[in-house]
Amino acid sequence: MISERKVKFAIVGCGHIAKKHIESIQNSEIAELAAICDTNPERLKEFSEQYNVEGFSSIEEMLQQRKEIEVVNICTPSGLHKPLAMIAANYKKHIVVEKPIALTMEDAEAIIAVCKENNVKLSVVHPNRFRPAMQMLKNTMANKLLGKISHVNATVRWNRNQAYYDQAAWRGTKQFDGGVLMNQAIHNLDLMIWLFGPIKEVQSYTATRLRQIESEDVAVSVVKFEEGFLGVIEAAVTIYPKNLEESISVFGEKGSVIIGGPTANWVKHIQIEAYNQEETDSLVNGIHNDPYGISGHSIIINDMAHCVINPNRYPVVSGENGKEALKLVLAVYESSELNRPVTL
């Protein structure tokens, strides 16, 4: 049953990712775009005219003037997430924040704490969980169809050329953005934890090989999960000349699954003892006929609208989930800096 009212959202940060948020809000039957905010006047004017919505240059001004706003979507560079979340939460607004939740554990914990203090809900945008292939793999793991796990692999072999980083001064910086792990591969790291459980230890190397940035453009890690099986992380934005592969692989005593392609949307390999060939073909064909499914951004934003309407409902991707992915990235950085294994 559709709610009679629409939850009012506001966007802070009118960059590329904000368009996904706005489209998701506009496509929802229970969400409505009430306002946008950006410190860049040209970009603010462009978005305001394109989406026919009132624009503000200050988040405080927006929240003071538009008191009906219920949810603030933070779509700014990552280093700005904490101060903006603090303001929004102190105005008693629920928050949807783009990944990563923050760039430091202190900032992530501060965001979670201020939301709890103000009794507002917090969701972090990790949309890849909702891809049909990932939902299938999650169901496979939940039902223990692969038996005892040998090892898993998370790979991001993408291209972000120098022109990409030169488009904005904050890109590739340690203060506002981070490197391939914090920006691109954090989705795969979130999936590793979500699919396979907590990680106990990492041994990692990072480097800046081809891009003129402060942060890493390539990283490799070996990880040990709490259940005892091993994993490998490979992440790079140095692949020539375009995105090559994003994949999640898992190998067990009773089956193996590889989800891959340029983005991890397709079943590249599946063989599970419990499935006959007809069942396997049906599963693969179902995903290949609709590899993208409903947008993860749409699911997360629609979920937050339901959470606002229903006080007893909590976000499907929580602040704590976002913190766990960040914790893994920071452990990889620490291991690389210290040149030794690091326990999470």
Side-chain angles (χ1 to χ4, degrees):
M1 183 174 170
I2 302 301
S3 170
E4 292 183 359
R5 79 176 186 90
K6 291 191 174 186
V7 176
K8 293 178 170 56
F9 284 73
I11 302 291
V12 179
C14 296
H16 168 74
I17 203 65
K19 294 181 180 180
K20 284 190 176 183
H21 285 249
I22 293 172
E23 289 166 4
S24 297
I25 292 166
Q26 291 179 332
N27 290 334
S28 172
E29 294 181 320
I30 57 169
E32 178 182 323
L33 182 62
I36 58 172
C37 175
D38 198 288
T39 56
N40 183 311
E42 290 85 10
R43 196 159 52 217
L44 185 64
K45 183 174 185 291
E46 174 193 339
F47 269 67
S48 182
E49 291 177 351
Q50 180 178 352
Y51 297 106
N52 190 29
V53 62
E54 186 175 8
F56 296 87
S57 60
S58 156
I59 184 174
E60 292 98 332
E61 180 189 7
M62 179 179 72
L63 296 179
Q64 287 167 4
Q65 292 193 24
R66 300 296 300 273
K67 292 182 172 56
E68 72 274 19
I69 291 169
E70 296 167 277
V71 183
V72 172
N73 289 28
I74 300 175
C75 304
T76 62
S78 305
L80 297 174
H81 289 178
K82 178 200 169 184
L84 293 168
M86 300 291 283
I87 293 168
N90 284 322
Y91 273 89
K92 311 296 183 186
K93 308 303 179 185
H94 305 285
I95 295 170
V96 175
V97 60
E98 264 296 334
K99 59 77 191 168
I101 183 175
L103 295 179
T104 69
M105 195 57 61
E106 292 79 9
D107 282 1
E109 289 173 349
I111 292 171
I112 292 169
V114 76
C115 288
K116 287 181 179 177
E117 289 166 10
N118 287 282
N119 196 30
V120 296
K121 295 171 183 178
L122 169 66
S123 185
V124 182
V125 180
H126 282 294
N128 295 12
R129 295 182 177 200
F130 304 101
R131 293 171 173 175
M134 292 304 168
Q135 289 287 314
M136 178 276 293
L137 183 52
K138 178 68 171 178
N139 183 63
T140 299
M141 296 304 300
N143 288 302
K144 302 186 183 301
L145 296 180
L146 305 185
K148 188 175 183 179
I149 302 301
S150 160
H151 65 291
V152 304
N153 186 289
T155 302
V156 177
R157 295 170 176 161
W158 280 359
N159 175 277
R160 294 294 183 271
N161 60 23
Q162 192 60 44
Y164 165 84
Y165 292 102
D166 292 343
Q167 283 177 1
W170 57 268
R171 286 185 175 173
T173 63
K174 292 182 179 179
Q175 182 179 2
F176 293 110
D177 189 30
V180 60
L181 289 167
M182 193 70 81
N183 198 335
Q184 286 82 24
I186 196 167
H187 287 304
N188 265 28
L189 303 191
D190 171 68
L191 289 174
M192 283 190 92
I193 299 166
W194 179 64
L195 289 166
F196 309 127
I199 291 171
K200 181 179 180 180
E201 184 177 276
V202 301
Q203 171 73 69
S204 310
Y205 296 94
T206 65
T208 309
R209 295 291 297 164
L210 304 183
R211 307 297 176 237
Q212 296 175 25
I213 57 175
E214 290 180 358
S215 300
E216 81 288 346
D217 60 13
V218 60
V220 292
S221 295
V222 177
V223 303
K224 182 183 289 186
F225 286 80
E226 284 191 0
E227 287 194 17
F229 56 90
L230 305 179
V232 176
I233 298 168
E234 176 194 342
V237 287
T238 55
I239 307 306
Y240 179 85
K242 61 182 180 180
N243 290 1
L244 176 64
E245 176 188 1
E246 177 191 9
S247 64
I248 292 281
S249 308
V250 53
F251 306 97
E253 62 178 337
K254 296 181 180 180
S256 55
V257 181
I258 300 174
I259 309 298
T263 55
N265 287 86
W266 291 269
V267 180
K268 307 302 287 186
H269 168 81
I270 182 168
Q271 193 156 4
I272 300 175
E273 184 182 278
Y275 294 160
N276 62 33
Q277 193 59 51
E278 183 179 351
E279 290 169 324
T280 301
D281 291 343
S282 175
L283 187 152
V284 171
N285 291 334
I287 291 171
H288 280 222
N289 289 335
D290 185 21
Y292 299 102
I294 299 172
S295 154
H297 279 79
S298 289
I299 291 172
I300 289 168
I301 286 169
N302 212 48
D303 174 70
M304 176 58 85
H306 280 293
C307 287
V308 174
I309 292 168
N310 180 0
N312 296 318
R313 178 166 169 163
Y314 293 90
V316 66
V317 185
S318 68
E320 291 292 339
N321 295 149
K323 189 175 82 168
E324 289 305 306
L326 173 64
K327 185 188 297 183
L328 177 53
V329 173
L330 295 176
V332 171
Y333 286 159
E334 184 181 359
S335 174
S336 179
E337 289 171 7
L338 297 177
N339 195 27
R340 66 168 175 80
V342 166
T343 302
L344 276 76

